[in-house]
Amino acid sequence: GGPRVEPAIRTAAAVDALPVLAVEEALSYVLKTIELLKPVLEVPLIGFCGGPFTVASYFIDSGSQHVFVHTKAWVEQDPASFHRLLDKITTASIAYLQAQVQTGVHAVQIFDSWASILTYAQFQTFCLPYLKRMVEALPKTPVILFCRNSSLYPQELAQLEPRCISFDWH
């Protein structure tokens, strides 16, 4: 069913109340795993995280529902607070990816799997600027971008200048 967030984040007040935790403490087990794997791997290690829109959709609709009714409604009804949520997620995600890089991953992949539920205009507004911030925050690290249906937006994703764009079967 996908990641679950309880209670779901569905109001501007809930966004404002979200804490930003220190990555080294909250996700120390990921960093420890990277440290343990590095010496024994004979292949490059790729770190990853969810893209801001996808993480937001899990916060709001909690679970992989493929419909994301509450997420779509929020984008339409209160875009300002939705942007605040995306900003918090992006800031935390950048710190998370930077910590993975500092711990030793060779590249990172950002999975904005649910960006495909957005219209083209919404994709440009609620997805691309946040992915751009993430790519720019890792100037010396190869970044791979994945959005479901990436083939619909190859020029837009290429303008973000990731090292690679990952395409799905579509």
Side-chain angles (χ1 to χ4, degrees), residues 1 20 33 40 68 89 117 148:
V20 178
T33 301
V40 298
F68 298 105
I89 292 168
I117 70 168
R148 187 168 281 124

Side-chain angles (χ1 to χ4, degrees), residues 18-155:
L18 277 175
V20 178
L21 305 174
V23 171
E24 294 77 14
E25 293 173 28
L27 297 168
S28 61
Y29 63 92
V30 174
L31 305 178
K32 183 66 175 168
T33 301
I34 293 168
E35 288 174 355
L36 292 170
L37 283 173
K38 281 286 292 183
V40 298
L41 288 178
E42 296 179 15
V43 295
L45 181 58
I46 300 175
F48 74 95
C49 78
F53 181 80
T54 295
V55 173
S57 68
Y58 286 130
F59 278 5
I60 298 163
D61 278 292
S62 193
S64 179
Q65 300 176 11
H66 301 278
V67 179
F68 298 105
V69 174
H70 300 288
T71 302
K72 290 178 182 179
W74 194 343
V75 164
E76 293 290 330
Q77 295 167 4
D78 190 0
S81 67
F82 197 84
H83 279 293
R84 286 199 314 274
L85 177 59
L86 292 172
D87 184 62
K88 277 191 169 186
I89 292 168
T90 301
T91 298
S93 297
I94 288 169
Y96 179 48
L97 290 175
Q98 288 174 334
Q100 290 182 60
V101 170
Q102 290 170 356
T103 306
V105 300
H106 296 95
V108 297
Q109 184 159 1
I110 303 167
F111 291 87
D112 223 340
S113 304
W114 295 116
S116 63
I117 70 168
L118 296 168
T119 66
Y120 180 71
Q122 291 170 335
F123 181 76
Q124 290 184 308
T125 301
F126 296 103
C127 191
L128 290 177
Y130 300 97
L131 292 175
K132 181 176 180 60
R133 275 180 51 198
M134 293 175 78
V135 171
E136 289 176 349
L138 300 161
K140 296 180 179 174
T141 304
V143 176
I144 306 163
L145 291 180
F146 172 79
C147 298
R148 187 168 281 124
N149 292 332
S150 293
S151 60
L152 299 176
Y153 308 120
Q155 291 85 7

